[in-house]
Amino acid sequence: MQPTEDSAVGAALDRFVQRHGQRFPSLHAPFDPEWRSPCELDTVTQPPPRQVRWRPLRRPVPIDPFAGLARALEMPIHPDAKAFWGRYWSGNLEAEAADGHVSLLQLWNEDDADRLVENLIGHALAKRRARSPFTVFFACTEPDSELFLSIDNDSGQIMLEAPGSKPLRTVAPTLAGFLDALEPAPAADDDGV
């Protein structure tokens, strides 16, 4: 039996997270007592500012953060997007792709999932104004760039986009293949905390 695309994306994300964890066993972020995550390991108080160590935490049961979004947009959300966004609690994961730097966006906590849906509603409205097919963003490119990567909601292809416009080009035929080709990279502000 062949795996479904959903399981192919989940397995590819698992492989990337494993490669990333082997290279970077724990990561850090500024500690915010009002913005906690299940993926936090511990808090580092010295030297200031306070940091939290974290690593991606696979959810025992994947979630579907898009049920309300699908109703609001009156369209189903591509299963690859559900598989990607529903699998881990994590901070963003840095990587190198064939075309340059990529920051895989992730959900830190439940409130972050709500913000994702709000941002995707705004993205959907901008796509409608541009008369462009709906996409689900999942990664940013270089830090000083407005370009981002998305999943075409109809085909599942990976697209390079700029805000408010039609996709610039196809980057990869599938999300699973794109994830398998990524190499883990350090965060821009990684100072070894």
Side-chain angles (χ1 to χ4, degrees):
M1 184 169 133
Q2 290 200 343
T4 64
E5 193 59 33
D6 182 304
S7 66
V9 169
L13 185 55
D14 290 347
R15 288 188 295 272
F16 175 75
V17 167
Q18 183 178 21
R19 290 191 312 273
H20 199 279
Q22 288 170 345
R23 187 151 177 218
F24 308 103
S26 69
L27 302 159
H28 66 277
F31 175 74
D32 183 347
E34 303 297 318
W35 193 250
R36 303 303 302 267
S37 174
C39 69
E40 293 179 13
L41 300 173
D42 58 19
T43 304
V44 179
T45 58
Q46 297 296 327
R50 289 177 64 188
Q51 299 281 308
V52 64
R53 290 182 201 262
W54 63 272
R55 70 172 155 242
L57 176 66
R58 185 168 168 188
R59 295 184 189 106
V61 177
I63 64 166
D64 177 2
F66 301 128
L69 178 66
R71 283 191 301 276
L73 298 178
E74 299 178 339
M75 74 173 80
I77 305 301
H78 197 281
D80 288 0
K82 292 179 185 181
F84 178 83
W85 285 106
R87 200 150 181 102
Y88 284 91
W89 294 120
S90 178
N92 296 345
L93 296 170
E94 307 304 316
E96 289 298 324
D99 293 333
H101 185 81
V102 173
S103 181
L104 296 177
L105 306 173
Q106 294 288 295
L107 296 177
W108 187 252
N109 56 33
E110 291 284 347
D111 291 337
D112 210 9
D114 294 340
R115 289 193 334 187
L116 168 66
V117 170
E118 290 171 9
N119 287 334
L120 281 170
I121 290 170
H123 177 68
L125 294 173
K127 294 301 240 170
R128 284 184 181 165
R129 281 192 296 273
R131 290 184 165 70
S132 181
F134 180 61
T135 59
V136 178
F137 52 78
F138 71 94
C140 297
T141 61
E142 299 294 335
D144 57 348
S145 173
E146 289 189 350
L147 299 179
F148 59 94
L149 297 172
S150 62
I151 304 161
D152 181 279
N153 198 52
D154 292 327
S155 69
Q157 293 180 322
I158 304 309
M159 312 303 290
L160 179 66
E161 295 195 67
S165 65
K166 294 185 179 189
L168 303 172
R169 67 181 172 86
T170 301
V171 173
T174 67
L175 180 55
F178 178 79
L179 292 171
D180 277 333
L182 293 178
E183 288 299 321
D189 63 349
D190 188 4
D191 57 9
V193 170

